[in-house]
Amino acid sequence: MLQQLFTESVQHTLDLVGIFVFAISGALLAVRKNFDVFGIAVLAEATALGGGLFRDLVIGAVPPAAFTDLGYFITPLLAALLVIFLHPQVERIQTGVNVFDAAGLGLFCVAGTTKAYEYGLGLTASACLGLVTAVGGGVVRDVLANEVPSLLRWDRDLYAVPAIVGAALVALCIGYEVLNPFTSALAAATAFALRLLALRFRWRAPRAWNRRSTVVEGE
């Protein structure tokens, strides 16, 4: 059974790790946007908890963990404090945002898919919710920072696809009853690596065939 492979403490730890790395990415973006300390904290919290909050509401895990576990609230604040005092040089902030965001993407697509399945969703629905869990915080982050979400930008490197792959791998492992800490870590690492490779080699999803658009390249 899936419940035996992922104990409550393991699931909680996985959630906290994902929350921390997503909060780092949100706080780094806030620094790059020249937000004050309150803005940094808000963006860290929203980035870290946005996807998980949506997940818990959909699967009926209410009240959401973000409102019942103090650790879920404190962890983003700790990440924000870390960034406030130890953020990298300005020219390196974007690299930090990308790396931490990729790590959060990998961790959350696994955690979201696993928890959705534990609450009775089918494999396909669980994978979809794993995707939403992974990208939801990033969407909230970009909206609050007054940017078009990377998820919707045709001129940005692949973002949702790595999360889809990671969530699909978890669903396949569940279906074939081979999901364990090693295979779940492998799925998270695969999503993480795909995102970094997409950034390195500028992989992008194709657009509509024979499109005719007045949008200027790079806008």
Side-chain angles (χ1 to χ4, degrees), residues 129-190:
L129 194 53
L131 166 64
V132 174
T133 305
V135 303
V139 171
V140 174
R141 176 200 65 207
D142 291 343
V143 170
L144 290 178
N146 198 30
E147 292 191 354
V148 176
S150 298
L151 179 69
L152 306 178
R153 293 285 298 267
W154 58 265
D155 60 337
R156 295 293 177 87
D157 306 315
L158 294 179
Y159 186 75
V161 171
I164 293 172
V165 172
L169 286 176
V170 174
L172 286 173
C173 288
I174 294 173
Y176 287 101
E177 299 183 350
V178 294
L179 186 67
N180 53 53
F182 174 77
T183 55
S184 62
L186 183 61
T190 299

Side-chain angles (χ1 to χ4, degrees), residues 6 15 35 96 114 147:
F6 288 90
D15 276 348
F35 287 8
T114 302
E147 292 191 354

Side-chain angles (χ1 to χ4, degrees), residues 24-62:
I24 288 287
S25 75
L28 284 172
L29 180 59
V31 170
R32 186 167 61 87
K33 288 285 188 175
N34 202 31
F35 287 8
D36 62 16
V37 291
F38 180 75
I40 295 172
V42 168
L43 206 60
E45 290 279 356
T47 307
L49 303 179
L53 179 61
F54 181 85
R55 172 198 66 199
D56 288 348
L57 290 175
V58 169
I59 64 179
V62 292

Side-chain angles (χ1 to χ4, degrees), residues 39-112:
I40 295 172
V42 168
L43 206 60
E45 290 279 356
T47 307
L49 303 179
L53 179 61
F54 181 85
R55 172 198 66 199
D56 288 348
L57 290 175
V58 169
I59 64 179
V62 292
F67 294 97
T68 59
D69 190 325
L70 187 61
Y72 283 69
F73 179 77
I74 296 297
T75 299
L77 293 181
L78 294 177
L81 283 175
L82 179 66
V83 170
I84 288 170
F85 291 106
L86 300 175
H87 66 85
Q89 298 298 321
V90 174
E91 64 271 14
R92 299 182 61 186
I93 287 179
Q94 186 59 57
T95 299
V97 171
N98 290 336
V99 171
F100 282 112
D101 185 67
L105 195 75
L107 287 168
F108 270 35
C109 70
V110 172

